[in-house]
Amino acid sequence: MNFGTIGAGTVAQAVAGHLVTAGHKVTLSNSRGPDTLLDVVTRLGPLASAGTADEAAAADMVFLTVMWPQVGDALAGLPEWDGRILVDTTNAFADLEVETASEFVAERAPGARVVKAFNTLYAQYIAADPRHTEGRQLLFYAGDDEAAKADFHTVADGIGFAPVDAGSLRDGGRLMQIGGPLSALHALRQD
Ligand SMILES: NC(=O)c1ccc[n+]([C@@H]2O[C@H](COP(=O)([O-])OP(=O)(O)OC[C@H]3O[C@@H](n4cnc5c(N)ncnc54)[C@H](OP(=O)(O)O)[C@@H]3O)[C@@H](O)[C@H]2O)c1
């Protein structure tokens, strides 16, 4: 499985760091073009590359890592999703037009199998080695497609997190989004 990021800032680089450490290829993208990401991908190492948003979105699993006001622009005009997995890491610091932020994202990525994840953690806990002395970092995720969630679970487990299925996009998403009880919850699983 290969990986892409739409957005290449703090969260994208933290997730990409874990993925390349685990031996995965990651294509990072932003709105300004691959040339602006050369330093970032050099620091991440040879498994990381800079691409266009279209190239990043062609990956098997794509992480949406833009700020909330940029979600619409970032998803507009991408190639057909054809069932590829879109992991929504965003937090909606806004009044929502729909029930949950991830449903808003899913509506703008038709054909993507959307999994919500990473948004509950501060960036420092995403970037850190999730295998803490006291236990593995819990990583909540939500989604409506069981196979996509199983793939995400395998990836998250493989990079060291303790993944926890929080349910559907609506119910789990509501727990995980800003104002929900899982938002900003930093917790460890004692293995
Ligand atoms: N930081 C945290 O602690 C944290 C934790 C969990 C979740 N989150 C959520 O994760 C998301 C990303 O946060 P972040 O801290 O990583 O933000 P960030 O560092 O500001 O990175 C945002 C990235 O999006 C890119 N971007 C902007 N517009 C774009 C577009 N139209 N298409 C493609 N890329 C675009 C930006 O690059 P260019 O401007 O160069 O295009 C930048 O690389 C946010 O929704 C945030 O709420 C953040």
Side-chain angles (χ1 to χ4, degrees):
M1 183 177 274
N2 56 24
F3 299 87
T5 72
I6 306 296
T10 306
V11 170
Q13 292 178 38
V15 173
H18 293 306
L19 291 169
V20 299
T21 298
H24 300 295
K25 288 185 177 171
V26 187
T27 302
L28 294 94
S29 73
N30 64 9
S31 70
R32 292 174 297 133
D35 290 351
T36 65
L37 290 171
L38 295 181
D39 288 350
V40 169
V41 296
T42 299
R43 190 175 49 72
L44 285 166
L47 290 175
S49 61
T52 63
D54 281 15
E55 288 166 345
D60 303 312
M61 185 176 287
V62 181
F63 293 84
L64 178 64
T65 62
V66 300
M67 300 301 282
W68 185 254
Q70 278 76 54
V71 165
D73 282 350
L75 291 175
L78 293 177
E80 293 294 318
W81 283 94
D82 287 334
R84 295 190 310 288
I85 298 170
L86 179 63
V87 180
D88 173 21
T89 75
T90 65
N91 274 314
F93 295 97
D95 290 331
L96 293 172
E97 301 161 17
V98 290
E99 189 91 15
T100 64
S102 284
E103 289 172 301
F104 178 95
V105 168
E107 284 174 8
R108 283 151 185 79
R113 295 184 293 154
V114 176
V115 176
K116 181 91 182 172
F118 287 112
N119 68 299
T120 60
L121 293 175
Y122 290 125
Q124 74 230 49
Y125 293 124
I126 301 174
D129 187 337
R131 290 158 284 226
H132 299 269
T133 309
E134 301 84 0
R136 281 185 299 152
Q137 175 75 56
L138 286 194
L139 181 63
F140 298 104
Y141 62 93
D144 295 337
D145 186 287
E146 294 303 323
K149 286 203 290 189
D151 284 350
F152 178 80
H153 187 110
T154 299
V155 169
D157 183 70
I159 61 175
F161 288 89
V164 176
D165 185 352
S168 66
L169 270 192
R170 176 160 296 186
D171 295 337
R174 195 186 289 119
L175 296 174
M176 291 167 60
Q177 69 188 20
I178 298 290
L182 302 182
S183 179
L185 179 61
H186 166 57
L188 304 177
R189 167 170 287 158
Q190 296 171 266
D191 290 309

